[in-house]
Amino acid sequence: MLDIKLIRENPDEIIRRLQTRGADFSVILEIVKWDEERRLLLTEVEAKKNFRNESSKRIGLLKREGKDTTDIMKEVGEANDQISQLDAKVAEIEEKILNVMNVLPNVPRETIKVGTSDTDNKEVRRWGEVRMFDFEPKPHWDIGTGLDILDFERGAKITGARFTVYKGAGARLERAIINFMLDLHTTKHGYMETLPPFMVNAQSMYGTGQLPKFEEDLFKVTPFDYYLVPTAEVPVTNMHANEILALDQMPVYYTAYTPCFRAEAGAAGRDTRGIIRQHQFNKVELVKFTTPETSYEELEKLTNNAEEVLKQLKLPYRVVELCTGDMGFSSAMTYDIEVWLPAFATYREISSCSNFEDFQARRANIRFRREQKGKPEYVHTLNGSGLAVGRTVAAILENYQNADGTVTVPEVLRPYMGGLEIIAINKK
RNA sequence: GCCGAGAUAGUCUAGCGGUAGGGCGCAAGCCUGGAAAGCUUGUGGGGCGUCCGCCCCUCGGGAGUUCGAAUCUCCCUCUCGGCGCCA
């Protein structure tokens, strides 16, 4: 949610910056008109309410004295009719404003490169040596089925397309990665581990910006008003909804493992093979609540924390800064971390780290106080994947594959795999 | 799922048809050599305004009754206790 005061004061500036996302936002000018109309009506109806309050007090006094109140009650009755009409008009305008405000994306930070798609993204840095194979590297789905650690057919049988069964060392590898990431972030990077609900209510989805605009991307748990989480960002950010944080407890760092559920509406035909794009996948998420003046510094640190996972796994990656046209709805600035996948011969997104500034905080009403008596201000919220677990498995299978079809286990994961060094075909 | 009790400002609590009172916390002022204590004032959201102020809203959410609702009626949500079911 954008600040209506900013829109009121500088509509042209807001329009200009929003339009770098590649859509038309002249509706902002409508909002400004409605907002002015709303305030005029408010002044009018509040004067009438003042009359009603004063009159009601007098009626009380007059009745106590046993005097006649017929005339004044008639006046209040008329005022009441006008009040209910004006109130209805105000509510109508407010709804109109809110309906538009709810689907307005965040304003990109001033420094973000203007562009229309991922081809305009700016590469910030690269890390690691891309491995040269002396054999033809196989895609992770061939490696996974060859070792019988990924079972796509049974996943489809049990549930449907884009669901996969992990078996034996594959299941253990997934679990090992989760534990490794959580341990790294909690012991080295200062995050508090949380294990939130995997379903949230509509209010929480609104708070982080998934609703009302992106309902078709979510799994709804009928007949409840609950949704399966598409990312731990939703439950963890909403942990502090409607709260006022104390300055001395900030910045707040949380990490959380959750499965993520995405309908992937509109993704038909893309990444249909393998585990790159699933309806259900695991992710370890990093979430921060910061003051406005430190949020961009915290974004750098958060991104570095996610990169550290890839460094320790010795997986080559690059970091790109998303252009205005490629950024998510709620974000003001986003870094994507892309891991090298040999079979695709390209870098693929494995983490997305964003600063939402006060966009989510305003929707979810998350504030902090600088001083005991000070006015509450909105916090800045940030999050990033640290990392997507399924895609990490895919990256390990492809980058660590051997000519005989086996896969070497990255050193840092071996303690989590009972010392296993090589994943060979499942014996049972 | 059933029965009961609750939800009041940062926090605790009173009020149960006349427009939110008190305690604590916090802040400012007075007092003081300085503090504590004490006393006074303030404490959420919004609107209007020549910055002095004025007004509206807010008692879990919504609808209704009334000149007037924290208070009465109905619906819903959540919390706590008991019973039932259950990994």
Side-chain angles (χ1 to χ4, degrees), chain A residues 138-145 150 273-276 344 394 397-398:
Chain A
K138 289 189 280 190
H140 67 272
W141 53 86
D142 283 346
I143 303 166
T145 46
L150 295 178
R273 302 199 69 182
I275 54 176
I276 295 297
F344 292 75
L397 295 185
E398 292 198 8

Side-chain angles (χ1 to χ4, degrees), chain A residues 272-405:
Chain A
T272 48
R273 302 199 69 182
I275 54 176
I276 295 297
R277 195 174 300 275
Q278 299 276 285
H279 286 310
Q280 175 187 324
F281 62 95
N282 293 306
K283 184 156 59 66
V284 170
E285 187 76 357
L286 306 171
V287 175
K288 290 185 177 185
F289 301 81
T290 78
T291 57
E293 56 273 18
T294 59
S295 64
Y296 280 99
E297 182 187 315
E298 293 289 349
L299 176 63
E300 296 301 320
K301 283 200 236 169
L302 185 148
T303 307
N304 290 339
N305 295 154
E307 287 174 64
E308 183 62 24
V309 176
L310 291 170
K311 284 181 179 168
Q312 297 218 7
L313 290 170
K314 297 189 164 65
L315 290 170
Y317 68 87
R318 65 172 191 166
V319 178
V320 298
E321 186 183 313
L322 299 193
C323 72
T324 54
D326 201 29
M327 273 199 312
F329 176 78
S330 302
S331 178
M333 175 170 177
T334 300
Y335 288 120
D336 271 6
I337 303 174
E338 299 178 340
V339 71
W340 177 256
L341 291 182
F344 292 75
T346 184
Y347 290 97
R348 291 297 303 259
E349 177 188 343
I350 197 166
S351 171
S352 193
C353 304
S354 302
N355 185 356
F356 305 92
E357 298 189 353
D358 62 5
F359 187 85
Q360 294 180 326
R362 187 170 283 108
R363 289 170 91 103
N365 191 29
I366 309 168
R367 295 173 295 173
F368 77 103
R369 243 192 268 274
R370 287 182 197 279
E371 295 159 28
Q372 288 284 3
K373 63 160 187 171
K375 277 214 166 206
E377 296 172 49
Y378 290 114
V379 302
H380 280 195
T381 60
L382 297 84
N383 68 58
S385 345
L387 308 162
V389 180
R391 290 188 179 182
T392 304
V393 167
I396 289 170
L397 295 185
E398 292 198 8
N399 283 280
Y400 280 85
Q401 63 181 299
N402 302 311
D404 62 358

Side-chain angles (χ1 to χ4, degrees), chain A residues 77-279:
Chain A
E78 284 164 12
N80 267 334
D81 289 344
Q82 295 168 338
I83 287 170
S84 48
Q85 277 180 30
L86 288 167
D87 269 345
K89 250 194 239 176
V90 170
E92 192 187 316
I93 291 175
E94 283 180 344
E95 197 190 336
K96 220 157 53 168
I97 293 172
L98 196 64
N99 282 342
V100 176
M101 296 279 287
N102 278 339
V103 296
L104 284 181
N106 200 357
V107 175
R109 190 187 194 196
E110 197 75 77
T111 58
I112 304 297
K113 181 180 167 191
V114 177
T116 54
S117 73
D118 58 358
T119 54
D120 296 317
N121 292 343
K122 188 170 84 187
E123 183 173 307
V124 178
R125 58 183 166 270
R126 285 186 188 209
W127 184 91
E129 290 274 315
V130 169
R131 177 180 161 194
M132 301 309 289
F133 289 87
D134 50 15
F135 59 93
E136 183 69 23
K138 289 189 280 190
H140 67 272
W141 53 86
D142 283 346
I143 303 166
T145 46
L147 292 171
D148 195 28
I149 58 174
L150 295 178
D151 191 335
F152 298 100
E153 285 177 17
R154 289 202 173 92
K157 175 174 72 180
I158 297 163
T159 309
R162 297 189 194 272
F163 288 91
T164 302
V165 179
Y166 287 63
K167 299 194 294 193
R172 184 154 193 188
L173 179 63
E174 182 93 358
R175 180 158 58 90
I177 292 167
I178 294 165
N179 285 334
F180 164 67
M181 289 177 181
L182 285 173
D183 285 350
L184 178 68
H185 296 312
T186 54
T187 65
K188 297 281 194 323
H189 299 152
Y191 293 78
M192 177 184 280
E193 182 172 349
T194 61
L195 185 60
F198 300 162
M199 296 181 206
V200 298
N201 58 32
Q203 184 63 46
S204 294
M205 285 295 186
Y206 175 81
T208 32
Q210 282 74 19
L211 289 180
K213 201 175 176 188
F214 305 103
E215 174 141 34
E216 72 277 9
D217 294 333
L218 302 171
F219 284 106
K220 177 116 196 253
V221 186
T222 55
F224 300 95
D225 192 21
Y226 297 155
Y227 297 83
L228 295 179
V229 298
T231 157
E233 158 194 354
V234 179
V236 177
T237 305
N238 280 285
M239 260 206 303
H240 292 303
N242 302 311
E243 290 185 16
I244 298 175
L245 305 174
L247 186 64
D248 59 19
Q249 62 185 118
M250 294 179 48
V252 178
Y253 288 17
Y254 291 122
T255 183
Y257 152 72
T258 71
C260 303
F261 302 90
R262 297 188 183 177
E264 294 295 343
R270 293 178 62 193
D271 304 312
T272 48
R273 302 199 69 182
I275 54 176
I276 295 297
R277 195 174 300 275
Q278 299 276 285
H279 286 310

Side-chain angles (χ1 to χ4, degrees), chain A residues 51-77:
Chain A
F51 171 75
R52 176 177 68 187
N53 287 344
E54 295 300 324
S55 301
S56 292
K57 268 186 220 169
R58 276 204 311 179
I59 288 168
L61 291 173
L62 289 171
K63 281 200 167 173
R64 219 166 299 153
E65 293 169 12
K67 290 183 181 162
D68 177 57
T69 57
T70 318
D71 289 348
I72 186 165
M73 279 171 71
K74 196 181 158 209
E75 280 176 26
V76 173

